[in-house]
Amino acid sequence: MPRSFEEVVLPHLDAAFNYARWLTKNDADAEDVVQDAYLRALRFFSSLRDENARAWLLTIVRNTWYGRFPRRVSSEPVANEDPDDRADASLAPRDPR
């Protein structure tokens, strides 16, 4: 007998939020990710093939996070430095004064 979305997926809401909070490091962003993930889960509920709804949902949470927050690149401008110069500077003896 088919089970409803509420019976299968909704019990994992806390796990989804905790995982999203761990990924985003921010409660507000985690709420957004979970909301989007639950909408996707509802939309694709028919694709759930087995009873492991938790793993299925957490995968959707992770993929939603990757979609919303692409790998962040440092926003600091990078100077045109030779990496060897930086290494040499860090190995230079320090003035004891």
Side-chain angles (χ1 to χ4, degrees):
M1 181 170 162
R3 295 172 58 188
S4 71
F5 180 82
E6 290 81 12
E7 291 175 321
V8 175
V9 181
L10 210 53
H12 305 294
L13 180 61
D14 287 339
F17 178 74
N18 288 336
Y19 184 45
R21 187 172 43 194
W22 180 79
L23 289 169
T24 64
K25 312 287 189 262
N26 178 312
D27 283 355
D29 288 341
E31 290 172 0
D32 291 343
V33 167
V34 170
Q35 182 176 8
D36 288 352
Y38 262 81
L39 288 173
R40 289 180 185 186
L42 180 60
R43 182 174 169 204
F44 296 105
F45 183 62
S46 63
S47 71
L48 178 59
R49 300 281 182 228
D50 59 10
E51 291 297 317
N52 196 356
R54 179 184 165 115
W56 177 77
L57 177 63
L58 294 181
T59 300
I60 294 171
V61 169
R62 184 194 66 222
N63 292 341
T64 301
W65 176 68
Y66 283 142
R68 283 183 65 97
F69 301 99
R71 295 197 184 252
R72 295 180 179 159
V73 179
S74 175
S75 61
E76 297 176 18
V78 178
N80 290 332
E81 295 181 20
D82 183 4
D84 294 330
D85 291 343
R86 268 186 300 169
D88 291 343
S90 66
L91 296 175
R94 295 182 183 195
D95 188 6
R97 289 183 264 160

